[in-house]
Amino acid sequence: MPVVATERYGSLESWKYQLKDGVMERERVGGNGGTTGKTIIGVFKSVFLPQGYPESVSGDYLQYQFWDTLQAFSSSLSGTLATQASLRGVGVGNQEATVAAATITWLLRDGTGMLGRILFAWLKGNKLDSEAKKRRLVADVLNDIAMFMEILAPNCPIFFTLIVCSAGIFKSIVGVAGGATRAALTLHQARRDNMADISAKDGSQETLVNLAGLLVSLILIPLVTDNPLLTFVLFFLFTILHLFANYKAVRSVVMETLNEARLAIVLHQYLRDGRVLGPLEANHKEPVFLKFRRTVPIQLGVRLGELVYTSEDLNLAMKNNHKLFLIGVKRDHWELVHESHKLIDQVFQPFLKALEVAGWQTSRTLLDWNEWRVEWKKKSS
């Protein structure tokens, strides 16, 4: 029978249309239409995975979501233990406790958390795009510290309010950093301008995980009530699982845009042997923990006045420079700047082409630019 047309639903289904006695018939390619099990799996995918999966998302989506789901589950259980401890600390079950005292403690905790959220967004908001992996991992570490403080607080009644307020500040930072870095990762995962769909399905996945955590918590609560030792042991185990899953989650992300860390890794390799690392290799080498060793500070988009103070400085800065930008130093090392210009002239264009061949996105970067821009005036005749 002649095949009139073929169609497919992403990589999940393929069908062909044939004419038989003047009637159009539809036949599944490679199967007879599926089974009940496949139908259930299909429904599950349509509910919890973005439309068009796997073509509509990045290649690291499934691995990241697996580890993210595991860390969310362990965090949900830890949160249950912390919530129980907080409620016990404010006087739930204690006849001598007053509603007013508990309410004041809760309001102070929420108030300090709000202030912490504003301050963190002001101080570190511009770093959340360029350092999404690192900030995501730091946020989860702070989340575990905050929950540990809440569990510890009832055992220190004198400092209870101070401890829960400090934990509230940490949790507010977690809220800002976690939400912002999640948005950055969603942008990376979206391959069909489907950020909203990915975000919505991520919310569905998280809700399902929290529901599972709630069911397990119903079993845990009777066991840990009035048993501080078991509470600490379980929290310690859940925290280890949470941190491990978070580490694996951020390590599984393969971003094709260059931030400062990935650019340094790629550029060092290129200057060493002329080879450009692909996104997979560079992402695996990218540090995801905070560095405490001293590094050379590099700032992009700074004020011209921070680099040039006199006409002599300007002449030295523009020597051998025919570019729209200016490389400068805060000390008198202009000879190094001149050598940098020569190196850029030699390697930049070949390096840029090699980046594109290796699979990097060069149309945008995550290099944490400041907003200062200079417009050079043409010299008068």
Side-chain angles (χ1 to χ4, degrees):
M1 291 182 292
V3 176
V4 177
T6 59
E7 66 178 0
R8 63 185 179 88
Y9 187 83
S11 61
L12 302 179
E13 298 181 30
S14 297
W15 299 80
K16 62 181 179 180
Y17 289 84
Q18 299 173 316
L19 282 176
K20 183 178 181 181
D21 300 329
V23 178
M24 185 84 74
E25 292 186 353
R26 186 170 182 255
E27 180 182 349
R28 185 165 185 165
V29 177
N32 55 6
T35 64
T36 303
K38 291 182 179 179
T39 302
I40 294 175
I41 294 176
V43 172
F44 182 85
K45 287 182 177 180
S46 65
V47 172
F48 294 104
L49 295 177
Q51 179 176 319
Y53 172 86
E55 288 84 1
S56 61
V57 295
S58 59
D60 55 15
Y61 177 83
L62 186 61
Q63 186 177 3
Y64 172 80
Q65 292 301 125
F66 170 78
W67 291 113
D68 187 56
T69 298
L70 185 60
Q71 70 85 20
F73 178 74
S74 56
S75 180
S76 176
L77 298 180
S78 297
T80 299
L81 300 176
T83 300
Q84 186 205 35
S86 296
L87 293 175
R88 182 160 51 90
V90 296
V92 175
N94 185 357
Q95 295 179 353
E96 298 179 358
T98 63
V99 175
T103 303
I104 291 174
T105 300
W106 218 259
L107 290 176
L108 288 174
R109 190 196 69 163
D110 290 346
T112 53
M114 293 174 187
L115 292 176
R117 188 178 299 114
I118 295 172
L119 289 174
F120 179 77
W122 171 47
L123 295 174
K124 296 295 182 180
N126 61 323
K127 297 288 186 181
L128 297 178
D129 284 301
S130 58
E131 299 178 349
K133 297 182 188 179
K134 187 182 297 184
R135 299 298 170 179
R136 170 65 186 272
L137 195 58
V138 170
D140 286 299
V141 172
L142 288 179
N143 187 51
D144 290 332
I145 293 175
M147 288 189 290
F148 177 74
M149 293 172 68
E150 290 178 340
I151 293 176
L152 185 65
N155 300 308
C156 306
I158 299 177
F159 302 103
F160 178 80
T161 302
L162 177 62
I163 293 175
V164 296
C165 287
S166 301
I169 294 176
F170 285 167
K171 283 196 169 183
S172 68
I173 294 175
V174 173
V176 176
T181 54
R182 183 183 295 272
L185 294 174
T186 301
L187 177 62
H188 156 70
Q189 293 172 339
R191 296 305 158 99
R192 292 183 180 172
D193 295 326
N194 55 340
M195 277 189 61
D197 184 29
I198 292 177
S199 181
K201 297 301 171 56
D202 185 67
S204 297
Q205 296 169 20
E206 186 173 355
T207 302
L208 180 64
V209 171
N210 290 334
L211 180 60
L214 176 63
L215 296 176
V216 176
S217 297
L218 293 176
I219 302 174
L220 286 180
I221 291 300
L223 299 177
V224 300
T225 301
D226 299 324
N227 192 339
L229 178 59
L230 182 59
T231 299
F232 278 106
V233 170
L234 289 177
F235 177 78
F236 179 72
L237 295 176
F238 294 149
T239 299
I240 292 177
L241 178 61
H242 179 238
L243 294 178
F244 175 74
N246 267 295
Y247 175 78
K248 295 293 288 185
V250 297
R251 272 296 181 206
S252 67
V253 176
V254 180
M255 305 189 80
E256 297 89 357
T257 49
L258 290 166
N259 64 357
E260 184 177 336
R262 292 190 288 273
L263 178 59
I265 292 170
V266 174
L267 187 57
H268 287 168
Q269 185 69 41
Y270 180 76
L271 294 176
R272 185 180 299 116
D273 58 16
R275 184 170 66 96
V276 173
L277 299 178
L280 182 62
E281 292 179 278
N283 275 266
H284 285 172
K285 292 184 177 182
E286 179 185 4
V288 293
F289 295 106
L290 291 176
K291 286 186 177 181
F292 297 100
R293 63 184 180 87
R294 187 175 180 180
T295 58
V296 178
I298 299 176
Q299 300 178 10
L300 304 176
V302 300
R303 291 187 300 111
L304 181 63
E306 295 183 21
L307 303 177
V308 175
Y309 303 98
T310 65
S311 59
E312 183 179 357
D313 289 335
L314 181 60
N315 292 330
L316 289 173
M318 299 304 296
K319 182 181 177 181
N320 298 327
N321 179 29
H322 306 288
K323 304 170 184 61
L324 298 176
F325 56 87
L326 174 67
I327 299 177
V329 291
K330 293 187 177 181
R331 299 179 182 179
D332 296 330
H333 294 305
W334 291 110
E335 290 301 324
L336 296 177
V337 173
H338 301 158
E339 294 299 320
S340 299
H341 286 305
K342 295 179 182 178
L343 182 62
I344 291 174
D345 290 335
Q346 295 174 1
V347 305
F348 181 72
Q349 288 301 328
F351 178 65
L352 184 62
K353 293 179 180 178
L355 286 176
E356 297 173 351
V357 172
W360 292 99
Q361 293 183 12
T362 58
S363 58
R364 65 185 187 93
T365 63
L366 299 172
L367 293 179
D368 190 22
W369 294 85
N370 207 332
E371 294 303 313
W372 291 103
R373 299 294 184 271
V374 63
E375 180 180 348
W376 300 109
K377 302 299 183 180
K378 294 183 179 180
K379 295 181 178 179
S380 60
S381 59

